[in-house]
Amino acid sequence: MEITSQKLRAASEASRTALKMHDLVSSPSLRKKLNKLIRPFGVFSLFNLERNSKRNSKLNGVAIAVIVKNEAPYIKEWVEYYKIIGITKIYLYDNDSQDDLKDRIKTDVESGYIDYHPIHGKVRQSDAYNKALWQARKDRLYLLVIDADEFLFMKNSTDRLFDIVKGKLNVNDGVGGLAINWLIFGSSHYESKQPGLVTRTFVKRSPFGFKFNKHVKTLVNPDVVAGFLNPHFPVYIAGYHSVNLNGQTVEGPFNEPSADPEIRLNHYFTKSKEEFIKKRSRGMADNLNIRDMGKFEEHDQNDVFDDSMKRYQAELEKAVQNDGREDA
């Protein structure tokens, strides 16, 4: 069994013991100190993961893990979109929302489509993803970890995500995950929040080669992941790695984006300036910092008109209107 310090750290921090401890300890700095104390237990986690991964049992669908805070105005569109494109289940971790988020998703929680979990305190993003790893293994699902402003888009409307994933994630070749590049959408020059769908409103984006589009999020086989220490990529057990859509190995959070890929993550990072300011006030899920307004200027890219999401507009509008609370 190959053990590196990163694998040991990931396996220990993703262990059930660590996650239970993190739920009880509110201080991020204290959690870090305690993580070091339990680091040796990562050896047992790695051993069990490697032993179980050799069973190679089938996975039966694709789940999403997301951590959210005060996303009520947007959550219905986001959830309905992922139903449309064939996501099997959503593991949603509610990080102390103070709006009516839970009420907005009540029907989907009751139906079992959303597996809803409160998660308290600051800097809990990796904890949410590591909790979801355990659940995805149990449910026998691939796992995509993303944010609630990211929409996975397939260029060909007839493609099935599950079929693509099965074709690219071959554990016999050591492929444990698929790295999918961002495509940053800007504000479309809106200063204030607009009525209607996010995917209908913001139709201007960056060129494919824009520098921030090098960021990836990763869709993984949870059986071969030691844990998440970073929201963009996992740490794998020995012998496994991520690939991009061309089958090339990807290490870390970046991959050179290709032009017009078959799968991308439309990232509505800014929305309008008003919405960005409100988002900024919520803080970040993976650290204690507050985004400065310079991030808006850097990401507000509106060079390319792109309304490719309109193929879903009618179905999404119907679903959101049936919710009875489409936000103005």
Side-chain angles (χ1 to χ4, degrees), residues 158-194:
T158 61
D159 282 347
R160 293 182 68 247
L161 180 62
F162 182 54
D163 292 338
I164 293 174
V165 172
K166 285 194 300 182
K168 294 185 182 295
L169 269 64
N170 186 342
V171 293
N172 294 324
D173 294 332
V175 178
L178 181 64
I180 304 170
N181 282 85
W182 277 353
L183 186 60
I184 298 289
F185 278 69
S187 68
S188 290
H189 306 295
Y190 288 117
E191 291 285 323
S192 59
K193 188 179 187 302
Q194 302 297 301

PDB file of all heavy atoms in Angstrom, residues 158-194:
ATOM      1  N   THR A 158     -28.506  14.877 -26.839  1.00  0.00           N
ATOM      2  CA  THR A 158     -28.931  13.477 -26.745  1.00  0.00           C
ATOM      3  C   THR A 158     -27.983  12.633 -25.902  1.00  0.00           C
ATOM      4  O   THR A 158     -28.263  11.470 -25.625  1.00  0.00           O
ATOM      5  CB  THR A 158     -29.043  12.847 -28.150  1.00  0.00           C
ATOM      6  OG1 THR A 158     -27.758  12.872 -28.791  1.00  0.00           O
ATOM      7  CG2 THR A 158     -30.050  13.608 -29.004  1.00  0.00           C
ATOM      8  N   ASP A 159     -26.857  13.203 -25.479  1.00  0.00           N
ATOM      9  CA  ASP A 159     -25.904  12.454 -24.652  1.00  0.00           C
ATOM     10  C   ASP A 159     -26.492  12.183 -23.275  1.00  0.00           C
ATOM     11  O   ASP A 159     -27.231  13.000 -22.727  1.00  0.00           O
ATOM     12  CB  ASP A 159     -24.605  13.243 -24.478  1.00  0.00           C
ATOM     13  CG  ASP A 159     -23.704  13.157 -25.698  1.00  0.00           C
ATOM     14  OD1 ASP A 159     -23.967  12.304 -26.574  1.00  0.00           O
ATOM     15  OD2 ASP A 159     -22.737  13.939 -25.774  1.00  0.00           O
ATOM     16  N   ARG A 160     -26.141  11.039 -22.721  1.00  0.00           N
ATOM     17  CA  ARG A 160     -26.506  10.702 -21.348  1.00  0.00           C
ATOM     18  C   ARG A 160     -25.244  10.740 -20.502  1.00  0.00           C
ATOM     19  O   ARG A 160     -24.261  10.055 -20.800  1.00  0.00           O
ATOM     20  CB  ARG A 160     -27.166   9.322 -21.280  1.00  0.00           C
ATOM     21  CG  ARG A 160     -28.510   9.248 -21.964  1.00  0.00           C
ATOM     22  CD  ARG A 160     -29.135   7.866 -21.808  1.00  0.00           C
ATOM     23  NE  ARG A 160     -29.526   7.580 -20.422  1.00  0.00           N
ATOM     24  CZ  ARG A 160     -28.945   6.658 -19.662  1.00  0.00           C
ATOM     25  NH1 ARG A 160     -27.927   5.955 -20.128  1.00  0.00           N
ATOM     26  NH2 ARG A 160     -29.379   6.442 -18.430  1.00  0.00           N
ATOM     27  N   LEU A 161     -25.275  11.555 -19.471  1.00  0.00           N
ATOM     28  CA  LEU A 161     -24.091  11.740 -18.639  1.00  0.00           C
ATOM     29  C   LEU A 161     -23.580  10.412 -18.087  1.00  0.00           C
ATOM     30  O   LEU A 161     -22.370  10.155 -18.100  1.00  0.00           O
ATOM     31  CB  LEU A 161     -24.401  12.699 -17.491  1.00  0.00           C
ATOM     32  CG  LEU A 161     -23.247  12.982 -16.524  1.00  0.00           C
ATOM     33  CD1 LEU A 161     -22.087  13.630 -17.241  1.00  0.00           C
ATOM     34  CD2 LEU A 161     -23.728  13.848 -15.366  1.00  0.00           C
ATOM     35  N   PHE A 162     -24.472   9.571 -17.627  1.00  0.00           N
ATOM     36  CA  PHE A 162     -24.061   8.301 -17.044  1.00  0.00           C
ATOM     37  C   PHE A 162     -23.282   7.454 -18.050  1.00  0.00           C
ATOM     38  O   PHE A 162     -22.267   6.825 -17.712  1.00  0.00           O
ATOM     39  CB  PHE A 162     -25.281   7.548 -16.525  1.00  0.00           C
ATOM     40  CG  PHE A 162     -24.964   6.247 -15.854  1.00  0.00           C
ATOM     41  CD1 PHE A 162     -24.045   6.179 -14.812  1.00  0.00           C
ATOM     42  CD2 PHE A 162     -25.595   5.070 -16.242  1.00  0.00           C
ATOM     43  CE1 PHE A 162     -23.758   4.971 -14.184  1.00  0.00           C
ATOM     44  CE2 PHE A 162     -25.318   3.865 -15.620  1.00  0.00           C
ATOM     45  CZ  PHE A 162     -24.386   3.811 -14.585  1.00  0.00           C
ATOM     46  N   ASP A 163     -23.730   7.433 -19.288  1.00  0.00           N
ATOM     47  CA  ASP A 163     -23.039   6.657 -20.318  1.00  0.00           C
ATOM     48  C   ASP A 163     -21.644   7.217 -20.594  1.00  0.00           C
ATOM     49  O   ASP A 163     -20.683   6.461 -20.778  1.00  0.00           O
ATOM     50  CB  ASP A 163     -23.851   6.648 -21.616  1.00  0.00           C
ATOM     51  CG  ASP A 163     -25.142   5.859 -21.483  1.00  0.00           C
ATOM     52  OD1 ASP A 163     -25.225   4.997 -20.584  1.00  0.00           O
ATOM     53  OD2 ASP A 163     -26.080   6.107 -22.273  1.00  0.00           O
ATOM     54  N   ILE A 164     -21.536   8.557 -20.625  1.00  0.00           N
ATOM     55  CA  ILE A 164     -20.230   9.175 -20.845  1.00  0.00           C
ATOM     56  C   ILE A 164     -19.279   8.827 -19.711  1.00  0.00           C
ATOM     57  O   ILE A 164     -18.118   8.453 -19.929  1.00  0.00           O
ATOM     58  CB  ILE A 164     -20.371  10.706 -20.963  1.00  0.00           C
ATOM     59  CG1 ILE A 164     -21.149  11.063 -22.232  1.00  0.00           C
ATOM     60  CG2 ILE A 164     -18.993  11.382 -20.983  1.00  0.00           C
ATOM     61  CD1 ILE A 164     -21.473  12.536 -22.355  1.00  0.00           C
ATOM     62  N   VAL A 165     -19.776   8.924 -18.500  1.00  0.00           N
ATOM     63  CA  VAL A 165     -18.941   8.653 -17.327  1.00  0.00           C
ATOM     64  C   VAL A 165     -18.482   7.197 -17.326  1.00  0.00           C
ATOM     65  O   VAL A 165     -17.302   6.902 -17.080  1.00  0.00           O
ATOM     66  CB  VAL A 165     -19.711   8.987 -16.038  1.00  0.00           C
ATOM     67  CG1 VAL A 165     -18.932   8.539 -14.811  1.00  0.00           C
ATOM     68  CG2 VAL A 165     -19.989  10.480 -15.968  1.00  0.00           C
ATOM     69  N   LYS A 166     -19.380   6.274 -17.588  1.00  0.00           N
ATOM     70  CA  LYS A 166     -18.998   4.856 -17.621  1.00  0.00           C
ATOM     71  C   LYS A 166     -17.919   4.598 -18.667  1.00  0.00           C
ATOM     72  O   LYS A 166     -17.034   3.766 -18.454  1.00  0.00           O
ATOM     73  CB  LYS A 166     -20.222   3.982 -17.928  1.00  0.00           C
ATOM     74  CG  LYS A 166     -21.174   3.807 -16.772  1.00  0.00           C
ATOM     75  CD  LYS A 166     -22.161   2.679 -17.034  1.00  0.00           C
ATOM     76  CE  LYS A 166     -23.003   2.938 -18.275  1.00  0.00           C
ATOM     77  NZ  LYS A 166     -23.988   1.854 -18.507  1.00  0.00           N
ATOM     78  N   GLY A 167     -18.000   5.326 -19.788  1.00  0.00           N
ATOM     79  CA  GLY A 167     -17.018   5.135 -20.842  1.00  0.00           C
ATOM     80  C   GLY A 167     -15.647   5.689 -20.520  1.00  0.00           C
ATOM     81  O   GLY A 167     -14.635   5.205 -21.039  1.00  0.00           O
ATOM     82  N   LYS A 168     -15.604   6.702 -19.677  1.00  0.00           N
ATOM     83  CA  LYS A 168     -14.324   7.371 -19.410  1.00  0.00           C
ATOM     84  C   LYS A 168     -13.678   6.952 -18.095  1.00  0.00           C
ATOM     85  O   LYS A 168     -12.458   7.037 -17.959  1.00  0.00           O
ATOM     86  CB  LYS A 168     -14.528   8.887 -19.432  1.00  0.00           C
ATOM     87  CG  LYS A 168     -14.904   9.426 -20.803  1.00  0.00           C
ATOM     88  CD  LYS A 168     -14.976  10.940 -20.812  1.00  0.00           C
ATOM     89  CE  LYS A 168     -15.400  11.468 -22.188  1.00  0.00           C
ATOM     90  NZ  LYS A 168     -14.409  11.169 -23.232  1.00  0.00           N
ATOM     91  N   LEU A 169     -14.457   6.521 -17.115  1.00  0.00           N
ATOM     92  CA  LEU A 169     -13.899   6.150 -15.813  1.00  0.00           C
ATOM     93  C   LEU A 169     -13.730   4.642 -15.738  1.00  0.00           C
ATOM     94  O   LEU A 169     -14.587   3.919 -15.235  1.00  0.00           O
ATOM     95  CB  LEU A 169     -14.798   6.652 -14.672  1.00  0.00           C
ATOM     96  CG  LEU A 169     -14.461   8.041 -14.139  1.00  0.00           C
ATOM     97  CD1 LEU A 169     -14.677   9.091 -15.211  1.00  0.00           C
ATOM     98  CD2 LEU A 169     -15.302   8.366 -12.923  1.00  0.00           C
ATOM     99  N   ASN A 170     -12.606   4.177 -16.255  1.00  0.00           N
ATOM    100  CA  ASN A 170     -12.298   2.754 -16.272  1.00  0.00           C
ATOM    101  C   ASN A 170     -11.304   2.466 -15.144  1.00  0.00           C
ATOM    102  O   ASN A 170     -10.119   2.790 -15.262  1.00  0.00           O
ATOM    103  CB  ASN A 170     -11.708   2.350 -17.626  1.00  0.00           C
ATOM    104  CG  ASN A 170     -11.507   0.848 -17.754  1.00  0.00           C
ATOM    105  OD1 ASN A 170     -11.478   0.128 -16.757  1.00  0.00           O
ATOM    106  ND2 ASN A 170     -11.370   0.376 -18.976  1.00  0.00           N
ATOM    107  N   VAL A 171     -11.784   1.872 -14.066  1.00  0.00           N
ATOM    108  CA  VAL A 171     -10.900   1.635 -12.921  1.00  0.00           C
ATOM    109  C   VAL A 171      -9.773   0.676 -13.271  1.00  0.00           C
ATOM    110  O   VAL A 171      -8.704   0.708 -12.654  1.00  0.00           O
ATOM    111  CB  VAL A 171     -11.693   1.108 -11.703  1.00  0.00           C
ATOM    112  CG1 VAL A 171     -12.630   2.164 -11.163  1.00  0.00           C
ATOM    113  CG2 VAL A 171     -12.455  -0.169 -12.042  1.00  0.00           C
ATOM    114  N   ASN A 172      -9.981  -0.174 -14.266  1.00  0.00           N
ATOM    115  CA  ASN A 172      -8.915  -1.101 -14.657  1.00  0.00           C
ATOM    116  C   ASN A 172      -7.726  -0.366 -15.268  1.00  0.00           C
ATOM    117  O   ASN A 172      -6.611  -0.890 -15.285  1.00  0.00           O
ATOM    118  CB  ASN A 172      -9.454  -2.132 -15.657  1.00  0.00           C
ATOM    119  CG  ASN A 172     -10.494  -3.055 -15.023  1.00  0.00           C
ATOM    120  OD1 ASN A 172     -10.379  -3.407 -13.854  1.00  0.00           O
ATOM    121  ND2 ASN A 172     -11.501  -3.415 -15.786  1.00  0.00           N
ATOM    122  N   ASP A 173      -7.955   0.858 -15.764  1.00  0.00           N
ATOM    123  CA  ASP A 173      -6.871   1.677 -16.298  1.00  0.00           C
ATOM    124  C   ASP A 173      -6.397   2.716 -15.284  1.00  0.00           C
ATOM    125  O   ASP A 173      -5.605   3.602 -15.624  1.00  0.00           O
ATOM    126  CB  ASP A 173      -7.332   2.393 -17.581  1.00  0.00           C
ATOM    127  CG  ASP A 173      -7.618   1.426 -18.723  1.00  0.00           C
ATOM    128  OD1 ASP A 173      -6.999   0.347 -18.734  1.00  0.00           O
ATOM    129  OD2 ASP A 173      -8.456   1.749 -19.582  1.00  0.00           O
ATOM    130  N   GLY A 174      -6.890   2.629 -14.067  1.00  0.00           N
ATOM    131  CA  GLY A 174      -6.487   3.572 -13.035  1.00  0.00           C
ATOM    132  C   GLY A 174      -7.181   4.915 -13.114  1.00  0.00           C
ATOM    133  O   GLY A 174      -6.731   5.873 -12.489  1.00  0.00           O
ATOM    134  N   VAL A 175      -8.275   5.010 -13.873  1.00  0.00           N
ATOM    135  CA  VAL A 175      -8.995   6.281 -14.011  1.00  0.00           C
ATOM    136  C   VAL A 175     -10.075   6.360 -12.930  1.00  0.00           C
ATOM    137  O   VAL A 175     -11.038   5.607 -12.943  1.00  0.00           O
ATOM    138  CB  VAL A 175      -9.623   6.429 -15.407  1.00  0.00           C
ATOM    139  CG1 VAL A 175     -10.394   7.745 -15.496  1.00  0.00           C
ATOM    140  CG2 VAL A 175      -8.546   6.373 -16.484  1.00  0.00           C
ATOM    141  N   GLY A 176      -9.867   7.286 -12.003  1.00  0.00           N
ATOM    142  CA  GLY A 176     -10.792   7.404 -10.887  1.00  0.00           C
ATOM    143  C   GLY A 176     -11.718   8.591 -10.969  1.00  0.00           C
ATOM    144  O   GLY A 176     -12.693   8.676 -10.219  1.00  0.00           O
ATOM    145  N   GLY A 177     -11.428   9.545 -11.879  1.00  0.00           N
ATOM    146  CA  GLY A 177     -12.251  10.737 -11.932  1.00  0.00           C
ATOM    147  C   GLY A 177     -12.115  11.477 -13.247  1.00  0.00           C
ATOM    148  O   GLY A 177     -11.115  11.313 -13.971  1.00  0.00           O
ATOM    149  N   LEU A 178     -13.120  12.270 -13.559  1.00  0.00           N
ATOM    150  CA  LEU A 178     -13.159  13.074 -14.772  1.00  0.00           C
ATOM    151  C   LEU A 178     -13.117  14.544 -14.396  1.00  0.00           C
ATOM    152  O   LEU A 178     -13.998  15.039 -13.689  1.00  0.00           O
ATOM    153  CB  LEU A 178     -14.436  12.772 -15.561  1.00  0.00           C
ATOM    154  CG  LEU A 178     -14.632  13.530 -16.885  1.00  0.00           C
ATOM    155  CD1 LEU A 178     -13.548  13.156 -17.894  1.00  0.00           C
ATOM    156  CD2 LEU A 178     -16.019  13.236 -17.460  1.00  0.00           C
ATOM    157  N   ALA A 179     -12.072  15.255 -14.835  1.00  0.00           N
ATOM    158  CA  ALA A 179     -11.914  16.683 -14.562  1.00  0.00           C
ATOM    159  C   ALA A 179     -12.653  17.478 -15.633  1.00  0.00           C
ATOM    160  O   ALA A 179     -12.370  17.324 -16.834  1.00  0.00           O
ATOM    161  CB  ALA A 179     -10.432  17.055 -14.553  1.00  0.00           C
ATOM    162  N   ILE A 180     -13.582  18.331 -15.219  1.00  0.00           N
ATOM    163  CA  ILE A 180     -14.435  19.084 -16.139  1.00  0.00           C
ATOM    164  C   ILE A 180     -14.171  20.569 -15.950  1.00  0.00           C
ATOM    165  O   ILE A 180     -14.262  21.094 -14.844  1.00  0.00           O
ATOM    166  CB  ILE A 180     -15.921  18.777 -15.881  1.00  0.00           C
ATOM    167  CG1 ILE A 180     -16.169  17.261 -15.976  1.00  0.00           C
ATOM    168  CG2 ILE A 180     -16.812  19.537 -16.858  1.00  0.00           C
ATOM    169  CD1 ILE A 180     -17.553  16.839 -15.505  1.00  0.00           C
ATOM    170  N   ASN A 181     -13.846  21.254 -17.032  1.00  0.00           N
ATOM    171  CA  ASN A 181     -13.467  22.667 -16.954  1.00  0.00           C
ATOM    172  C   ASN A 181     -14.663  23.587 -16.763  1.00  0.00           C
ATOM    173  O   ASN A 181     -15.758  23.351 -17.271  1.00  0.00           O
ATOM    174  CB  ASN A 181     -12.725  23.098 -18.215  1.00  0.00           C
ATOM    175  CG  ASN A 181     -11.290  22.642 -18.228  1.00  0.00           C
ATOM    176  OD1 ASN A 181     -10.995  21.521 -18.634  1.00  0.00           O
ATOM    177  ND2 ASN A 181     -10.386  23.504 -17.778  1.00  0.00           N
ATOM    178  N   TRP A 182     -14.396  24.682 -16.041  1.00  0.00           N
ATOM    179  CA  TRP A 182     -15.336  25.796 -15.952  1.00  0.00           C
ATOM    180  C   TRP A 182     -15.483  26.482 -17.303  1.00  0.00           C
ATOM    181  O   TRP A 182     -14.595  26.461 -18.149  1.00  0.00           O
ATOM    182  CB  TRP A 182     -14.798  26.856 -15.001  1.00  0.00           C
ATOM    183  CG  TRP A 182     -15.047  26.638 -13.556  1.00  0.00           C
ATOM    184  CD1 TRP A 182     -15.809  25.674 -12.956  1.00  0.00           C
ATOM    185  CD2 TRP A 182     -14.503  27.449 -12.498  1.00  0.00           C
ATOM    186  NE1 TRP A 182     -15.782  25.838 -11.595  1.00  0.00           N
ATOM    187  CE2 TRP A 182     -14.990  26.908 -11.276  1.00  0.00           C
ATOM    188  CE3 TRP A 182     -13.671  28.569 -12.459  1.00  0.00           C
ATOM    189  CZ2 TRP A 182     -14.665  27.461 -10.046  1.00  0.00           C
ATOM    190  CZ3 TRP A 182     -13.350  29.106 -11.229  1.00  0.00           C
ATOM    191  CH2 TRP A 182     -13.835  28.561 -10.034  1.00  0.00           C
ATOM    192  N   LEU A 183     -16.619  27.162 -17.467  1.00  0.00           N
ATOM    193  CA  LEU A 183     -16.799  28.178 -18.501  1.00  0.00           C
ATOM    194  C   LEU A 183     -17.498  29.349 -17.813  1.00  0.00           C
ATOM    195  O   LEU A 183     -18.671  29.253 -17.442  1.00  0.00           O
ATOM    196  CB  LEU A 183     -17.626  27.655 -19.675  1.00  0.00           C
ATOM    197  CG  LEU A 183     -17.728  28.612 -20.871  1.00  0.00           C
ATOM    198  CD1 LEU A 183     -16.356  28.940 -21.450  1.00  0.00           C
ATOM    199  CD2 LEU A 183     -18.637  28.044 -21.950  1.00  0.00           C
ATOM    200  N   ILE A 184     -16.748  30.425 -17.599  1.00  0.00           N
ATOM    201  CA  ILE A 184     -17.242  31.554 -16.816  1.00  0.00           C
ATOM    202  C   ILE A 184     -18.241  32.397 -17.607  1.00  0.00           C
ATOM    203  O   ILE A 184     -17.942  32.859 -18.710  1.00  0.00           O
ATOM    204  CB  ILE A 184     -16.074  32.450 -16.363  1.00  0.00           C
ATOM    205  CG1 ILE A 184     -15.119  31.682 -15.450  1.00  0.00           C
ATOM    206  CG2 ILE A 184     -16.591  33.719 -15.683  1.00  0.00           C
ATOM    207  CD1 ILE A 184     -15.671  31.366 -14.086  1.00  0.00           C
ATOM    208  N   PHE A 185     -19.439  32.581 -17.033  1.00  0.00           N
ATOM    209  CA  PHE A 185     -20.436  33.499 -17.574  1.00  0.00           C
ATOM    210  C   PHE A 185     -20.409  34.779 -16.745  1.00  0.00           C
ATOM    211  O   PHE A 185     -20.285  34.728 -15.517  1.00  0.00           O
ATOM    212  CB  PHE A 185     -21.834  32.877 -17.522  1.00  0.00           C
ATOM    213  CG  PHE A 185     -22.122  31.945 -18.672  1.00  0.00           C
ATOM    214  CD1 PHE A 185     -21.460  30.727 -18.769  1.00  0.00           C
ATOM    215  CD2 PHE A 185     -23.035  32.284 -19.650  1.00  0.00           C
ATOM    216  CE1 PHE A 185     -21.715  29.857 -19.820  1.00  0.00           C
ATOM    217  CE2 PHE A 185     -23.299  31.433 -20.719  1.00  0.00           C
ATOM    218  CZ  PHE A 185     -22.630  30.216 -20.804  1.00  0.00           C
ATOM    219  N   GLY A 186     -20.534  35.923 -17.420  1.00  0.00           N
ATOM    220  CA  GLY A 186     -20.475  37.206 -16.744  1.00  0.00           C
ATOM    221  C   GLY A 186     -21.840  37.751 -16.371  1.00  0.00           C
ATOM    222  O   GLY A 186     -22.853  37.031 -16.360  1.00  0.00           O
ATOM    223  N   SER A 187     -21.874  39.028 -16.103  1.00  0.00           N
ATOM    224  CA  SER A 187     -23.091  39.694 -15.623  1.00  0.00           C
ATOM    225  C   SER A 187     -24.059  40.060 -16.743  1.00  0.00           C
ATOM    226  O   SER A 187     -25.168  40.529 -16.461  1.00  0.00           O
ATOM    227  CB  SER A 187     -22.714  40.971 -14.872  1.00  0.00           C
ATOM    228  OG  SER A 187     -22.178  41.930 -15.783  1.00  0.00           O
ATOM    229  N   SER A 188     -23.638  39.873 -17.997  1.00  0.00           N
ATOM    230  CA  SER A 188     -24.410  40.383 -19.141  1.00  0.00           C
ATOM    231  C   SER A 188     -24.701  41.877 -18.980  1.00  0.00           C
ATOM    232  O   SER A 188     -25.695  42.396 -19.485  1.00  0.00           O
ATOM    233  CB  SER A 188     -25.713  39.597 -19.347  1.00  0.00           C
ATOM    234  OG  SER A 188     -25.429  38.294 -19.819  1.00  0.00           O
ATOM    235  N   HIS A 189     -23.819  42.542 -18.229  1.00  0.00           N
ATOM    236  CA  HIS A 189     -23.868  43.996 -17.991  1.00  0.00           C
ATOM    237  C   HIS A 189     -25.058  44.427 -17.128  1.00  0.00           C
ATOM    238  O   HIS A 189     -25.418  45.604 -17.112  1.00  0.00           O
ATOM    239  CB  HIS A 189     -23.862  44.776 -19.309  1.00  0.00           C
ATOM    240  CG  HIS A 189     -22.709  44.411 -20.190  1.00  0.00           C
ATOM    241  ND1 HIS A 189     -21.398  44.657 -19.844  1.00  0.00           N
ATOM    242  CD2 HIS A 189     -22.673  43.808 -21.411  1.00  0.00           C
ATOM    243  CE1 HIS A 189     -20.592  44.225 -20.813  1.00  0.00           C
ATOM    244  NE2 HIS A 189     -21.347  43.698 -21.768  1.00  0.00           N
ATOM    245  N   TYR A 190     -25.648  43.484 -16.379  1.00  0.00           N
ATOM    246  CA  TYR A 190     -26.728  43.848 -15.463  1.00  0.00           C
ATOM    247  C   TYR A 190     -26.139  44.326 -14.142  1.00  0.00           C
ATOM    248  O   TYR A 190     -25.304  43.650 -13.538  1.00  0.00           O
ATOM    249  CB  TYR A 190     -27.652  42.660 -15.204  1.00  0.00           C
ATOM    250  CG  TYR A 190     -28.518  42.295 -16.385  1.00  0.00           C
ATOM    251  CD1 TYR A 190     -28.380  41.047 -17.002  1.00  0.00           C
ATOM    252  CD2 TYR A 190     -29.474  43.176 -16.862  1.00  0.00           C
ATOM    253  CE1 TYR A 190     -29.170  40.696 -18.084  1.00  0.00           C
ATOM    254  CE2 TYR A 190     -30.269  42.824 -17.958  1.00  0.00           C
ATOM    255  CZ  TYR A 190     -30.106  41.599 -18.560  1.00  0.00           C
ATOM    256  OH  TYR A 190     -30.888  41.255 -19.628  1.00  0.00           O
ATOM    257  N   GLU A 191     -26.620  45.467 -13.669  1.00  0.00           N
ATOM    258  CA  GLU A 191     -26.204  45.982 -12.373  1.00  0.00           C
ATOM    259  C   GLU A 191     -27.041  45.377 -11.242  1.00  0.00           C
ATOM    260  O   GLU A 191     -26.539  45.158 -10.141  1.00  0.00           O
ATOM    261  CB  GLU A 191     -26.351  47.511 -12.341  1.00  0.00           C
ATOM    262  CG  GLU A 191     -25.371  48.253 -13.233  1.00  0.00           C
ATOM    263  CD  GLU A 191     -23.975  48.288 -12.645  1.00  0.00           C
ATOM    264  OE1 GLU A 191     -23.860  48.415 -11.408  1.00  0.00           O
ATOM    265  OE2 GLU A 191     -23.002  48.188 -13.413  1.00  0.00           O
ATOM    266  N   SER A 192     -28.320  45.112 -11.508  1.00  0.00           N
ATOM    267  CA  SER A 192     -29.232  44.634 -10.471  1.00  0.00           C
ATOM    268  C   SER A 192     -29.818  43.275 -10.844  1.00  0.00           C
ATOM    269  O   SER A 192     -29.779  42.855 -12.009  1.00  0.00           O
ATOM    270  CB  SER A 192     -30.362  45.636 -10.252  1.00  0.00           C
ATOM    271  OG  SER A 192     -31.087  45.825 -11.455  1.00  0.00           O
ATOM    272  N   LYS A 193     -30.366  42.603  -9.838  1.00  0.00           N
ATOM    273  CA  LYS A 193     -30.960  41.289 -10.045  1.00  0.00           C
ATOM    274  C   LYS A 193     -32.137  41.379 -11.004  1.00  0.00           C
ATOM    275  O   LYS A 193     -32.990  42.260 -10.873  1.00  0.00           O
ATOM    276  CB  LYS A 193     -31.425  40.712  -8.699  1.00  0.00           C
ATOM    277  CG  LYS A 193     -31.898  39.262  -8.775  1.00  0.00           C
ATOM    278  CD  LYS A 193     -32.325  38.759  -7.396  1.00  0.00           C
ATOM    279  CE  LYS A 193     -32.642  37.275  -7.420  1.00  0.00           C
ATOM    280  NZ  LYS A 193     -33.703  36.925  -8.387  1.00  0.00           N
ATOM    281  N   GLN A 194     -32.187  40.451 -11.950  1.00  0.00           N
ATOM    282  CA  GLN A 194     -33.251  40.410 -12.944  1.00  0.00           C
ATOM    283  C   GLN A 194     -34.266  39.325 -12.602  1.00  0.00           C
ATOM    284  O   GLN A 194     -33.939  38.330 -11.941  1.00  0.00           O
ATOM    285  CB  GLN A 194     -32.656  40.126 -14.324  1.00  0.00           C
ATOM    286  CG  GLN A 194     -31.617  41.134 -14.768  1.00  0.00           C
ATOM    287  CD  GLN A 194     -32.198  42.527 -14.908  1.00  0.00           C
ATOM    288  OE1 GLN A 194     -33.123  42.745 -15.682  1.00  0.00           O
ATOM    289  NE2 GLN A 194     -31.653  43.472 -14.149  1.00  0.00           N
TER     290      GLN A 194
END
